[in-house]
Amino acid sequence: MLTPQEAIKSVFRNYATLSGRARRSEFWWFALFQVVLFAVVLLLGALGIGTPARGEMPVSMGIAIGVILLLALGLAVPNVTLYVRRLHDGDFSGWLYFLACIPYAGVLVVLIFALLPSQPAGARFDAVPYTGSATPAQKPSQTLS
């Protein structure tokens, strides 16, 4: 099991890596990190810097929403790659992440896949180490996802 710091470092270290696997602890610590980060930004925005006219949003809340949008945009790639690696850990193809494009049910299905325990067969998604030889390290009959 990874510590919160190790999990967050691992996600950012592998922010664009689709091969390999991600443990459940890595996935859920990073999810908690994002929830806390967004909550802190919203809380700071709710403090209300600037006096709005009646019925308008405070300036600080507008800034907070802008910061959240930028954070969400910046965390989009790490989130997708983390989900794909989490699916690999459960011995599922990373292409199943596209189920999240189905409104409502698709996101729930992908989240359920993320809840499933690790499977030893998921090791097939681990990166192939460089052997230095010209022959492929994998069997040609294996399919890659």
Side-chain angles (χ1 to χ4, degrees):
M1 186 165 149
L2 296 173
T3 65
Q5 294 85 6
E6 289 172 342
I8 294 166
K9 284 179 187 176
S10 175
V11 170
F12 285 120
R13 187 174 42 250
N14 299 312
Y15 77 96
T17 304
L18 292 171
S19 64
R21 299 181 286 171
R23 298 176 182 175
R24 276 193 290 187
S25 59
E26 179 181 357
F27 181 83
W28 290 111
W29 279 125
F30 190 69
L32 180 64
F33 165 74
Q34 291 180 91
V35 167
V36 169
L37 183 65
F38 291 149
V40 167
V41 171
L42 274 178
L43 181 65
L44 291 174
L47 290 177
I49 300 171
T51 54
R54 185 171 191 167
E56 291 184 6
M57 180 173 42
V59 175
S60 62
M61 188 55 91
I63 293 171
I65 290 172
V67 169
I68 285 178
L69 289 175
L70 287 174
L71 285 172
L73 186 62
L75 293 173
V77 171
N79 275 314
V80 171
T81 58
L82 180 62
Y83 260 105
V84 168
R85 287 180 293 147
R86 181 69 204 125
L87 286 168
H88 286 172
D89 194 45
D91 195 30
F92 298 106
S93 171
W95 290 103
L96 286 176
Y97 179 74
F98 286 110
L99 288 174
C101 295
I102 300 170
Y104 309 112
V107 174
L108 185 62
V109 168
V110 173
L111 187 63
I112 290 171
F113 280 139
L115 288 168
L116 295 175
S118 301
Q119 298 295 325
R124 67 186 174 113
F125 293 106
D126 287 340
V128 179
Y130 178 69
T131 60
S133 68
T135 58
Q138 294 180 330
K139 298 176 187 173
S141 63
Q142 290 180 332
T143 58
L144 300 175
S145 60

